[in-house]
Amino acid sequence: MTQPPSRRNKAISAASTDSTSAASSVNEDISQQEDPGSATITVTAVEVPELTEEEQRDRLHLERRVERAFFEAGKALTELRDRRLYRSTHKTFEEYCRDRFAHSRQQSNYLIAAAGVYENLTTIGCQNVENENLTTNGSQILPTSERQVRSMTKLEPQEQQEVWRQAVEQAGGKVPPARIVKDVVQRIMERTKVPNTYQIGEVCQILAKDNAELRGKGGCWGIVSAVNEFSCTLEMWDGEYTIGLQHLKSFNYLPAECEQMRVICDRISRVYLDSLGETVKSLLQSLGKVNRTYLTVVEEKLLSVLSSEYGER
């Protein structure tokens, strides 16, 4: 026999009544609040444990490693280049950096030059602020990236120190961003601006001094191909280089002598290739350092032999 549906209907009705009552209760609670936005929310505070002395030491050590990463990379690249530790697998340092680190020649030069700036700032103990808690290593503010010092690399060591002090001061005693450093560099260069009196076609000698980017170029000569505001672009036997005015010295040659030097430069450049062996490249570089407008008989023979052996491009 089929059971009467009356009991099931009552259950549904009771559930519906309970749901309606609950909704009404919620509505009444909300309606009784004059401003729901002013309701107080209780948040339970979670206590963060302080670092132990060992953890504090570890943190400081790791922070310093991060800050010095670009400096360590630059120093390592410098040693790899100077000791030619790449020679067992690569003919040139440029090829080695490209294959091993995916660095362009420019990227490697940036890191090497930046390491020189960093070392310069640490040797003088640049004390920028009195409060040691504001410093990156407890005693002085130091750069933390290559980009921050890129604009400083072509300055003299004393100028680098002055730029960094001013940049840290403008940054409120903190590590300054590259933008601030670049602005300070620009102002100092404007203040000490020397008129660029060089002319296209003039023969100049490179004075490397302490510029890491000019390592190996000291004493070499080139022919001015472009006159810029604070630098000149030199055409050399192995390419073009933009050199700051403070790193140039004119030979004061006559126009005819400058033309003779151009002929020599062109002859060397037609033989020179970056893939040549180091011995051959050194021989060609020695010709690029002659401080006269002609080659000796021996030098002429040497260049002729190299031209015959390796061909001219």
Side-chain angles (χ1 to χ4, degrees):
M1 174 180 283
T2 305
Q3 189 171 352
S6 58
R7 183 178 300 173
R8 180 169 177 269
N9 291 340
K10 287 181 181 179
I12 295 174
S13 176
S16 176
T17 301
D18 291 342
S19 176
T20 303
S21 299
S24 299
S25 176
V26 171
N27 290 335
E28 287 176 4
D29 290 342
I30 294 177
S31 64
Q32 289 175 0
Q33 295 180 5
E34 294 181 359
D35 184 4
S38 64
T40 302
I41 300 176
T42 303
V43 178
T44 304
V46 179
E47 184 178 354
V48 179
E50 292 291 332
L51 296 179
T52 64
E53 290 187 7
E54 181 180 1
E55 288 174 327
Q56 289 176 343
R57 286 195 300 270
D58 289 344
R59 171 177 170 170
L60 181 59
H61 173 69
L62 293 171
E63 286 176 346
R64 288 178 179 174
R65 287 179 59 185
V66 172
E67 292 172 348
R68 290 170 55 91
F70 81 96
F71 167 70
E72 297 294 347
K75 292 292 289 182
L77 286 169
T78 301
E79 187 170 353
L80 286 166
R81 181 196 63 188
D82 292 351
R83 295 176 59 189
R84 297 184 58 244
L85 297 179
Y86 56 85
R87 66 182 182 274
S88 61
T89 56
H90 293 78
K91 291 183 178 179
T92 66
F93 181 63
E94 180 179 359
E95 292 175 355
Y96 166 70
C97 289
R98 183 175 60 248
D99 293 344
R100 181 63 181 83
F101 308 113
H103 281 187
S104 65
R105 177 179 179 177
Q106 189 177 48
Q107 285 176 299
S108 298
N109 287 340
Y110 280 153
L111 285 169
I112 290 172
V117 175
Y118 185 98
E119 205 161 32
N120 175 42
L121 296 179
T122 58
T123 54
I124 61 155
C126 285
Q127 182 63 46
N128 298 289
V129 290
E130 295 181 0
N131 186 351
E132 293 188 354
N133 294 326
L134 295 176
T135 62
T136 57
N137 67 354
S139 62
Q140 71 181 114
I141 301 288
L142 291 173
T144 58
S145 73
E146 175 273 322
R147 187 75 180 179
Q148 291 165 358
V149 300
R150 183 179 298 180
S151 60
M152 300 167 56
T153 56
K154 294 183 179 180
L155 299 177
E156 296 298 324
Q158 295 82 2
E159 292 175 326
Q160 292 174 357
Q161 297 160 11
E162 182 181 355
V163 166
W164 189 249
R165 288 193 188 97
Q166 291 188 25
V168 170
E169 183 179 348
Q170 289 189 29
K174 299 179 181 179
V175 178
R179 172 184 54 79
I180 290 181
V181 179
K182 190 174 182 179
D183 288 344
V184 176
V185 169
Q186 187 63 36
R187 285 201 302 274
I188 287 182
M189 292 182 72
E190 287 289 344
R191 186 187 68 196
T192 59
K193 182 177 178 180
V194 177
N196 191 344
T197 59
Y198 291 100
Q199 297 180 351
I200 293 178
E202 189 171 357
V203 181
C204 296
Q205 187 180 44
I206 296 177
L207 308 176
K209 297 182 180 179
D210 297 323
N211 192 326
E213 289 187 344
L214 298 178
R215 189 186 299 271
K217 294 298 182 184
C220 296
W221 54 267
I223 301 169
V224 177
S225 59
V227 178
N228 313 309
E229 189 174 11
F230 302 109
S231 63
C232 286
T233 301
L234 295 190
E235 180 184 342
M236 301 177 67
W237 71 92
D238 60 345
E240 284 193 339
Y241 296 85
T242 299
I243 312 294
L245 299 181
Q246 69 273 28
H247 294 288
L248 292 177
K249 176 185 177 182
S250 176
F251 279 120
N252 294 315
Y253 287 150
L254 297 173
E257 293 174 320
C258 291
E259 185 57 34
Q260 288 177 301
M261 296 298 281
R262 176 175 290 281
V263 171
I264 295 175
C265 181
D266 289 344
R267 291 178 62 191
I268 299 174
S269 64
R270 284 196 294 268
V271 179
Y272 186 90
L273 285 172
D274 202 39
S275 58
L276 291 174
E278 292 297 327
T279 302
V280 178
K281 289 167 69 174
S282 296
L283 290 173
L284 292 172
Q285 187 176 26
S286 67
L287 297 179
K289 289 188 176 183
V290 296
N291 56 357
R292 43 186 153 73
T293 61
Y294 61 90
L295 298 179
T296 65
V297 175
V298 174
E299 291 168 344
E300 280 285 358
K301 288 183 179 180
L302 174 62
L303 185 54
S304 297
V305 169
L306 293 177
S307 299
S308 175
E309 180 69 23
Y310 297 99
E312 293 186 357
R313 291 176 287 116

